[in-house]
Amino acid sequence: MNRILCGVAVLGLAGVILLCSCTTNLGPETLPSITTETEPTETTVPTETEETLPPEATEPSSTAVITDKIVENTGKLRVDGNRIVNSEGETVVLKGMSTFGIQNCEGFFTEETVKTLAEDWGCDVLRIALTGDKDIEGYLKDPDKYFDMVCKICDMCIEQGIYVIVDWNIAYYDDAEENKDAAIDFFQRLSVIYSDSENLIYEYNNYPLFYEEPDEDSDEEVNEWEDTIKPLATEVINAIRENNPDSIIIVGVPDNGLDIGAISESKLEFENIVYGCRVFSGSNKQEMRDKITEVIENDTCVFITEWCFCTDDLKGGIFTKESDKWAEFLDEKGISWCCFAIGSDIDNAANALLLNADNYTDAQKFGGHWPDGLLSSAGLYAREQLLKEPVVTEETEPTEEPSDDDDDGDDGDSDDDE
């Protein structure tokens, strides 16, 4: 699909996966595993007899709506001022889904689920969120395993013909240097493997966390962007640029990805940089839209890498009225976005799928082409926005502040079944 605007649960995979060796060397040995020791069996999901199937199992599965492959049609992307554009200089607005942290999605992303997101849901891009820290399950604890998982999902997206964002979403905590070194190693190896790919977009820290508190007796103010994020991002960008000199790189903004205005007077001195921020429809309203407007009018490219339709604590169901305002705003401004999130059975209002539902089969949950009953309110809304034809309009001034009636409570479905 080409959108160019003018002005879990674990699903066991058959076969034993041969994981790569994640060293700091940048030779062929850093390639992800691409073979299995044994040929996979044809069936990787449980089968059930007709007599045992619940009524919901007769619901029709989703089918392909989009057959174009956006990367074939649009090709390599670059940044021109406040826009992402193709080689012809035409604005490209990417719309897609983000994973949960991939340690929570093990086994979910297969060729069929990626195909479903691209063709049935209309995703131009899939964002892979690499989360966790050294004390919990995730990349820092098991880099071999999760580097290989990232590469496998990237390969599926490339085969499907969509873009893929690889997001280093690992918090600084109290050791920013260790985090930086791990990020540099990760992106160096990844950018070697995908140096010739038009599909890859790199993202460094969607919501970087800064924990160092200034001395109580000091008058010095700590500037998260200038003192922490910007210097660390500069080193990571340089590492990627050694192998991908002109790829798009997204850099997260301060205050957990919410302070988009912090970068306005001190942008990174690189080409093809996009600034990533998060939006929660139930918590971020007209004031946030005004800030984004101010930033893009300062010739800065913005990407909403996590758009949730609920509140910032991932509760309260979806806020339909505010989400509609955000959808209209993003269309008008030509801003790309990814909806958060899919791929896990985590129980919160942002989850697009009801993978904990006990009235659907494992084949329905993990085989892709999900029936509507398996989609949460957030999933149904996300799919609606992804499949919606973009509206080309003249840029307008931001709408007025919503009334108190618009701000109070949950404007949308309550997602009680989540």
Side-chain angles (χ1 to χ4, degrees):
M1 173 181 56
N2 189 354
R3 284 193 177 95
I4 299 177
L5 301 184
C6 301
V8 199
V10 174
L11 172 61
L13 297 178
V16 179
I17 302 298
L18 180 63
L19 295 179
C20 66
S21 174
C22 270
T23 70
T24 57
N25 297 321
L26 297 179
E29 66 272 19
T30 65
L31 288 171
S33 60
I34 55 174
T35 61
T36 56
E37 293 180 356
T38 58
E39 288 296 316
T41 57
E42 287 191 14
T43 303
T44 60
V45 292
T47 58
E48 301 188 34
T49 63
E50 188 172 338
E51 290 76 13
T52 64
L53 292 177
E56 289 80 0
T58 62
E59 289 183 20
S61 299
S62 67
T63 57
V65 178
I66 307 298
T67 56
D68 289 348
K69 296 183 183 298
I70 185 171
V71 178
E72 288 183 3
N73 293 335
T74 306
K76 191 171 185 62
L77 302 175
R78 61 184 176 87
V79 176
D80 181 10
N82 60 13
R83 304 175 302 142
I84 296 174
V85 300
N86 62 13
S87 60
E88 304 298 321
E90 298 168 308
T91 299
V92 176
V93 179
L94 299 180
K95 300 180 181 181
M97 295 295 297
S98 172
T99 73
F100 284 97
I102 61 169
Q103 73 272 20
N104 298 309
C105 304
E106 190 172 350
F108 178 84
F109 288 99
T110 63
E111 290 181 2
E112 206 59 34
T113 53
V114 171
K115 180 178 181 179
T116 300
L117 289 172
E119 297 184 2
D120 300 13
W121 285 42
C123 286
D124 300 322
V125 59
L126 176 65
R127 175 179 178 266
I128 306 170
L130 199 62
T131 64
D133 61 47
K134 61 185 178 182
D135 297 321
I136 64 174
E137 184 62 26
Y139 179 81
L140 293 184
K141 193 170 184 180
D142 194 347
D144 288 18
K145 175 180 179 179
Y146 291 106
F147 184 82
D148 191 75
M149 188 184 297
V150 167
C151 292
K152 282 182 168 62
I153 301 174
C154 286
D155 292 344
M156 294 173 197
C157 293
I158 291 170
E159 180 65 24
Q160 184 59 44
I162 62 174
Y163 294 97
V164 55
I165 298 170
V166 180
D167 167 43
W168 180 269
N169 207 338
I170 298 175
Y172 298 154
Y173 290 97
D174 57 357
D175 198 337
E177 283 298 312
E178 181 180 1
N179 183 299
K180 178 200 70 177
D181 292 343
I184 287 174
D185 174 56
F186 173 81
F187 281 119
Q188 279 181 324
R189 288 182 289 111
L190 194 73
S191 59
V192 164
I193 294 168
Y194 297 104
S195 60
D196 296 328
S197 173
E198 296 181 338
N199 306 66
L200 263 285
I201 297 172
Y202 303 90
E203 181 180 2
Y204 179 60
N205 268 12
N206 168 255
Y207 54 102
L209 303 178
F210 182 63
Y211 281 92
E212 182 179 339
E213 296 291 340
D215 190 290
E216 291 183 1
D217 298 327
S218 173
D219 295 330
E220 180 183 0
E221 286 190 21
V222 176
N223 186 313
E224 185 182 0
W225 175 250
E226 287 289 349
D227 299 339
T228 303
I229 301 173
K230 190 175 179 181
L232 292 176
T234 296
E235 293 193 54
V236 173
I237 293 168
N238 281 328
I240 296 172
R241 287 287 186 250
E242 291 178 8
N243 304 307
N244 286 163
D246 53 4
S247 56
I248 287 181
I249 300 174
I250 302 171
V251 178
V253 300
D255 190 20
N256 299 327
L258 296 172
D259 188 4
I260 186 65
I263 53 90
S264 292
E265 302 303 322
S266 179
K267 293 186 283 189
L268 289 154
E269 296 180 1
F270 295 90
E271 299 293 325
N272 292 325
I273 298 297
V274 177
Y275 296 91
C277 68
R278 303 194 294 164
V279 165
F280 299 88
S281 296
S283 302
N284 309 125
K285 302 184 181 181
Q286 188 60 43
E287 183 179 358
M288 181 77 160
R289 291 190 285 272
D290 290 342
K291 287 182 179 180
I292 293 174
T293 297
E294 183 178 348
V295 168
I296 63 177
E297 287 178 350
N298 192 30
D299 212 27
T300 303
C301 192
V302 174
F303 197 126
I304 309 301
T305 53
E306 288 186 8
W307 179 18
C308 298
F309 312 127
C310 53
T311 56
D312 55 12
D313 58 1
L314 304 183
K315 295 179 180 178
I318 68 168
F319 286 66
T320 306
K321 289 181 181 179
E322 278 299 319
S323 294
D324 286 348
K325 292 176 184 178
W326 273 109
E328 181 180 0
F329 171 79
L330 296 173
D331 276 348
E332 287 178 353
K333 303 299 183 182
I335 298 173
S336 297
W337 54 265
C338 286
C339 171
F340 185 87
I342 197 167
S344 171
D345 63 356
I346 290 174
D347 186 15
N348 62 39
N351 199 332
L353 296 178
L354 303 173
L355 294 179
N356 283 321
D358 58 8
N359 54 344
Y360 288 90
T361 68
D362 285 345
Q364 288 175 301
K365 293 177 182 179
F366 310 127
H369 308 287
W370 307 288
D372 285 359
L374 259 174
L375 276 60
S376 69
S377 297
L380 289 166
Y381 188 87
R383 190 182 64 180
E384 176 187 340
Q385 294 302 316
L386 288 162
L387 290 172
K388 183 179 68 176
E389 286 297 321
V391 178
V392 181
T393 61
E394 293 296 325
E395 190 167 300
T396 59
E397 290 299 312
T399 56
E400 294 181 2
E401 283 282 347
S403 67
D404 292 340
D405 292 339
D406 286 336
D407 288 344
D408 292 337
D410 183 356
D411 292 325
D413 300 325
S414 63
D415 280 356
D416 291 335
D417 56 352
E418 294 185 76

